[in-house]
Amino acid sequence: DSKRRVRNGWQAFTPALALAQQERLRVETQLRRAVENGEFHLVYQPQVDLHRGRIVAAEALIRWHNQHLGEMRPDRFIGHAETTGDIVRIGGWVLREACRQARAWRDAGLGVVRIAVNVSYRQFLGDDLADSVRALLQEFDLPGAALELEFTERVLIEDAPDTLRTFAELRALGVLLTIDDFGEGYSALNYLRRLPIHGLKLSQLFLEGVPHNKSDVAVCQAVSGIARSLGLGLVAEGVESEAQRQFLLQLGVPVGQGFLFAPGLPPDEFALRLEQAGTEATP
Ligand code: C2E
Ligand code: MG
Ligand code: MG
Ligand code: MG
């Protein structure tokens, strides 16, 4: 622990820094036992066909309720969990819970909807991700296409020796592979040719300024052009307004996700939406 703290070099002591370290210690301490204490749950945000409004998939988003810290949004703890390595266990829990939910919705005859799960770069470094996904699909009797994995460009930057093999194995299982927050990180276009991925998610960072901000519009156009010419799917995230939906339709982006349609929903509310809006047929 102390080794990790000095790795970033010497830092002047300031009250703000002390506060940040205190918060970090509190979060890290509580995180350690959060899985076994059953403190996590998932909410599901619909991904919607922008033309007809039908639900094509659900993104599973983690929520943490801790008795000392209250409700913690992922942006406040995922980074810490990645630093400590707890994310590997937490991410394993998320995958299992998403598969359990997918099975439950199928058994309830609610239509078949793919669940997208966020996967940390640390899960690519640790235990064999493809093996655990294969085992979960078997356990819950799901086809690979029931599951989509979203990962960020960080996975490619860390460039673990087995990353390409892991991607290939996941793809062979039929699992969909998507680059999340595309354009936010260090988008190196060379990996797009090498990786067996299915799609990109346009970062909401760029959608924010649409349709007023010229450079945001240009970035959205560029990303949609990249996706189209590489034959990749494209999902726009952070769709909040009708104007943004119209812009995306004109751009030819087929699928969107955002508060215009719904935030992350508890499973029963999501199921209700499924019944109302209908689904695209997914294997
Ligand atoms: P993300 O994967 O890019 O997820 C989208 C985030 O944007 C979610 O925040 C979602 O609630 C929010 N969002 C959706 N629609 C809108 C919109 O129209 N406007 C705005 N302003 N925001 C919108 P959330 O749930 O707080 O998650 C934040 C990030 O935490 C995620 O970003 C993802 O990187 C990470 N995360 C969430 N769940 C998991 C998980 O199970 N495992 C891992 N490793 N990371 C997770
Ligand atoms: Mg995501
Ligand atoms: Mg995203
Ligand atoms: Mg994001």
Side-chain angles (χ1 to χ4, degrees):
D1 240 75
S2 54
K3 246 189 254 149
R4 209 179 51 237
R5 294 225 161 83
V6 292
R7 196 183 56 193
N8 296 334
W10 187 87
Q11 283 177 302
F13 181 86
T14 66
L17 191 62
L19 264 178
Q21 287 194 351
Q22 232 171 49
E23 148 103 0
R24 170 181 175 164
L25 205 63
R26 268 156 52 89
V27 171
E28 287 183 1
T29 305
Q30 296 302 319
L31 264 180
R32 223 163 285 152
R33 302 175 60 83
V35 170
E36 52 188 294
N37 289 346
E39 296 173 15
F40 294 113
H41 67 277
L42 298 181
V43 295
Y44 296 87
Q45 187 176 35
Q47 291 181 6
V48 171
D49 161 7
L50 288 171
H51 278 286
R52 295 183 296 160
R54 303 179 93 188
I55 296 174
V56 299
E59 179 176 8
L61 297 164
I62 195 168
R63 295 292 178 262
W64 181 25
H65 178 81
N66 175 271
Q67 56 168 332
H68 304 290
L69 301 166
E71 303 292 335
M72 296 283 287
R73 294 300 289 248
D75 286 336
R76 286 183 65 192
F77 67 85
I78 293 290
H80 294 306
E82 286 176 332
T83 311
T84 61
D86 284 318
I87 191 66
V88 176
R89 251 178 330 117
I90 297 170
W93 178 85
V94 172
L95 271 169
R96 156 171 290 274
E97 175 59 14
C99 289
R100 191 200 59 72
Q101 186 64 72
R103 180 76 263 157
W105 279 335
R106 274 157 205 252
D107 288 346
L110 272 168
V112 180
V113 75
R114 183 173 68 246
I115 299 184
V117 172
N118 293 285
V119 174
S120 162
Y121 74 96
R122 288 284 307 243
Q123 293 175 265
F124 279 82
L125 304 180
D127 284 348
D128 201 321
L129 183 63
D131 283 345
S132 21
V133 168
R134 186 183 298 111
L136 282 171
L137 293 175
Q138 226 160 51
E139 179 182 346
F140 291 98
D141 190 24
L142 293 166
L147 199 63
E148 175 171 347
L149 300 184
E150 296 187 4
F151 53 92
T152 61
E153 290 149 314
R154 178 85 187 253
V155 169
L156 310 160
I157 290 152
E158 298 291 329
D159 199 21
D162 292 336
T163 300
L164 271 177
R165 183 181 53 79
T166 302
F167 274 105
E169 286 181 20
L170 288 167
R171 170 122 189 172
L173 290 172
V175 172
L176 274 82
L177 302 168
T178 304
I179 301 180
D180 203 352
D181 304 327
F182 184 75
E184 244 178 68
Y186 314 80
S187 308
L189 296 180
N190 69 342
Y191 67 69
L192 286 181
R193 295 180 293 126
R194 294 190 291 135
L195 281 182
I197 56 168
H198 298 84
L200 309 174
K201 286 186 89 170
L202 172 66
S203 166
Q204 62 188 52
L205 215 63
F206 308 117
L207 208 55
E208 261 168 34
V210 166
H212 306 293
N213 184 304
K214 281 213 172 70
S215 50
D216 282 356
V217 166
V219 172
C220 291
Q221 287 167 336
V223 170
S224 124
I226 289 169
R228 187 172 306 117
S229 37
L230 290 173
L232 298 171
L234 185 61
V235 174
E237 58 179 11
V239 184
E240 294 183 349
S241 71
E242 180 57 27
Q244 288 170 334
R245 188 181 78 93
Q246 290 301 336
F247 169 83
L248 292 165
L249 278 173
Q250 273 175 21
L251 210 58
V253 179
V255 178
Q257 179 182 341
F259 297 161
L260 178 64
F261 310 108
L265 302 168
D268 51 335
E269 278 181 48
F270 184 87
L272 214 63
R273 294 278 183 132
L274 267 185
E275 287 182 308
Q276 291 165 351
T279 63
E280 297 276 311
T282 317

